[in-house]
Amino acid sequence: MSTQVENRPEARLPDWENTRPTKDRYPEIDTPPIPIEAYVSEDFFEAEREKIFKKMWLYAGRMERLQRPGDYFVNTMEVLRTKKDGTYPSFIITRDDHGQVRAFYNACKHRGTKVCWDESESWGTSNRKYFTCRFHGWVYGNDGSLKHVPDEDQFFDLNKAERGLTPVHCAVWKDFIFINVDPSPSQTLKEQLGEHVANLKDFPFERLRKTGIWTATMNVNWKVAIDAFQEGYHVATVHAGTMPDAFNGSLNPYCRPTSIRVYPGGNRSLTFMVSPDYKPDELEMWVRQRGANWYAAAEDGSTNDFVGVNPENDPFFAFDCHGIFPNLLVDPFMGGFYGHEFWPISVNKTRWVGSINFLTPEKPSDILSNEHGKILLRDAFREDTVTLDASQEGIESGGLTDVVMCDHEMAPRHLYNTVMEKVNS
């Protein structure tokens, strides 16, 4: 690299004036208008449930919630219901007495009553050696085995070894827990994660803990919801109240990603820059000097703890956005990561869960800086969600048959293309 380029990092930015860098990188990707059927059709949504969500590994939680044998939590996944208008299944995610992470359908094998009635959105952890059904008192171990049946002698040919909780395939990667309800998954978890496994192998997810978590249920298709979080085109307008200058400046007024990577199987990755023109206010400057904040690490050399970000060494790095197909975004920065889950409920209703994750605080200034970053991000997430109902209303209005996307909206296009491929397979 020439000295001139080294001294002028802006020279390493894409030539947005004369190229469409993502299309130039991936000329094989078609770029026509996108029909709205996949966002509004109930039949298409049912096909997504059957061919995508019931076949693939889905994020269920983090290992920070399963620190000890006997720890467990319950996760409800509406999209996995067995009937179009059926009830929502929940799953017990637990660490058994031997330390193995397991997952089970939350249904007693006597007459089907839920065994664990814990609130799915409590985000906490409980601990039990045994799970007892509140209906008739059947008792299960945290390995799923049936331990006790009241009045057992009155049953006919009951084999307790065959009546344990129904297991679900479960696997862990970098402290992220995934489940798969397909009896015979076509891929291992790592095969489904693809290039993310190698690209993120050194990022310290295992050391990071949830500092803030938020959720909202919105009247919007799940893909429309994800797309709002995997492009920067909206930042100048949607985030004018919270971060009007951080990501939009003279070098990049439209918050274009500095690089975009698309992978087989629907996975994708983007890198965003912070504007070198950005001048944090006095409070933000003060807290950023003392600990990790909302998009960068503390100014004390601790950035070395966060290898694995910025895979193409883009200038003015802010954060990466990694799309894990089908419904998870993981956004690492030098200091932590943001997480986004998008849980389809119906063709036009989605439950979103967002989080920010930092290292465990070691001193009071860490707490202060983390809290400041958490509040800023909370407000930005609120802005992200506020337009989503309106987007769905417009798509369903009858006033359009398709939507168009620009070069730096290639991640939404790749998501759409992959969904179409899997539904039509």
Side-chain angles (χ1 to χ4, degrees):
M1 183 180 296
S2 71
T3 302
Q4 182 181 11
V5 172
E6 288 177 352
N7 293 334
R8 296 180 59 249
E10 62 271 19
R12 293 193 286 116
L13 291 171
D15 181 10
W16 288 307
E17 292 296 322
N18 300 299
T19 68
R20 295 185 177 96
T22 312
K23 176 61 174 176
D24 291 348
R25 185 175 190 173
Y26 300 102
E28 70 279 8
I29 298 179
D30 291 332
T31 54
I34 292 175
I36 64 171
E37 179 191 12
Y39 306 116
V40 300
S41 166
E42 292 189 5
D43 289 341
F44 191 89
F45 176 72
E46 288 303 306
E48 289 177 324
R49 292 204 310 114
E50 296 299 324
K51 294 191 174 185
I52 296 175
F53 288 92
K54 291 185 180 182
K55 298 294 184 183
M56 303 196 71
W57 293 93
L58 304 177
Y59 171 66
R62 294 262 296 154
M63 284 297 297
E64 65 186 272
R65 300 178 69 181
L66 301 180
Q67 294 295 299
R68 302 172 299 158
D71 282 353
Y72 77 95
F73 59 89
V74 174
N75 193 321
T76 298
M77 298 184 181
E78 302 92 338
V79 71
L80 296 180
R81 59 187 179 272
T82 57
K83 297 170 55 180
K84 179 178 179 179
D85 298 315
T87 57
Y88 303 149
S90 62
F91 302 87
I92 302 168
I93 316 297
T94 186
R95 190 169 194 158
D96 69 19
D97 288 341
H98 301 287
Q100 182 175 345
V101 178
R102 298 176 179 269
F104 305 97
Y105 281 95
N106 188 14
C108 179
K109 293 292 282 289
H110 174 210
R111 283 166 53 187
T113 304
K114 288 200 306 185
V115 176
C116 293
W117 292 24
D118 303 59
E119 174 57 51
S120 181
E121 291 188 0
S122 69
W123 317 120
T125 297
S126 301
N127 186 281
R128 291 187 192 176
K129 187 175 182 67
Y130 301 104
F131 302 115
T132 302
C133 179
R134 291 170 62 177
F135 196 4
H136 296 99
W138 280 35
V139 179
Y140 300 88
N142 52 31
D143 62 354
S145 61
L146 178 58
K147 298 295 187 183
H148 174 69
V149 175
D151 206 12
E152 180 179 346
D153 292 343
Q154 290 298 303
F155 282 86
F156 304 95
D157 302 318
L158 178 67
N159 183 345
K160 287 196 294 186
E162 297 176 351
R163 304 303 294 183
L165 296 174
T166 302
V168 177
H169 293 285
C170 182
V172 179
W173 168 77
K174 300 289 288 183
D175 270 16
F176 291 85
I177 305 166
F178 290 78
I179 67 170
N180 192 326
V181 297
D182 188 343
S184 301
S186 62
Q187 291 181 303
T188 65
L189 172 59
K190 286 188 175 181
E191 287 172 342
Q192 181 177 310
L193 293 172
E195 285 79 357
H196 290 320
V197 174
N199 294 344
L200 295 170
K201 65 182 178 61
D202 295 322
F203 191 80
F205 288 113
E206 299 89 340
R207 299 170 53 206
L208 299 169
R209 297 293 177 263
K210 206 171 258 70
T211 304
I213 190 164
W214 308 274
T215 186
T217 298
M218 303 160 296
N219 296 318
V220 65
N221 181 267
W222 66 280
K223 299 179 295 299
V224 176
I226 293 179
D227 290 347
F229 290 81
Q230 60 175 356
E231 48 87 357
Y233 192 28
H234 70 278
V235 170
T237 48
V238 171
H239 297 302
T242 56
M243 50 184 76
D245 307 315
F247 302 106
N248 302 281
S250 58
L251 290 178
N252 189 2
Y254 300 109
C255 192
R256 302 175 177 114
T258 50
S259 58
I260 298 177
R261 295 155 291 279
V262 299
Y263 304 125
N267 296 327
R268 60 268 179 214
S269 175
L270 307 84
T271 298
F272 289 95
M273 64 177 280
V274 64
S275 171
D277 304 329
Y278 176 55
K279 303 297 182 186
D281 61 32
E282 185 177 357
L283 175 59
E284 185 176 337
M285 284 292 293
W286 189 86
V287 296
R288 282 168 58 82
Q289 290 169 356
R290 288 160 175 81
N293 198 256
W294 59 290
Y295 70 85
E299 297 178 6
D300 61 359
S302 61
T303 55
N304 289 335
D305 288 340
F306 296 94
V307 295
V309 297
N310 194 11
E312 299 189 38
N313 194 30
D314 293 353
F316 312 115
F317 173 73
F319 66 94
D320 297 318
C321 173
H322 298 295
I324 297 176
F325 192 83
N327 65 327
L328 178 65
L329 298 180
V330 176
D331 299 357
F333 58 95
M334 290 189 292
F337 76 93
Y338 324 133
H340 298 283
E341 306 165 49
F342 302 87
W343 292 103
I345 298 174
S346 69
V347 65
N348 57 7
K349 182 170 288 189
T350 299
R351 178 170 57 89
W352 162 80
V353 182
S355 68
I356 188 168
N357 306 262
F358 291 113
L359 296 171
T360 301
E362 296 181 353
K363 53 187 182 299
S365 60
D366 290 337
I367 299 174
L368 181 62
S369 59
N370 291 176
E371 286 297 307
H372 180 266
K374 181 178 78 173
I375 298 305
L376 280 174
L377 197 69
R378 177 203 66 187
D379 293 345
F381 285 173
R382 284 176 173 172
E383 291 172 332
D384 279 318
T385 59
V386 76
T387 64
L388 296 181
D389 285 22
S391 294
Q392 191 69 27
E393 289 172 11
I395 292 172
E396 293 185 2
S397 69
L400 68 165
T401 58
D402 56 34
V403 296
V404 294
M405 295 183 181
C406 67
D407 190 69
H408 47 99
E409 293 172 300
M410 199 64 79
R413 184 180 293 276
H414 185 54
L415 173 64
Y416 170 85
N417 288 343
T418 304
V419 168
M420 294 300 295
E421 176 185 332
K422 291 187 177 297
V423 166
N424 293 325
S425 64

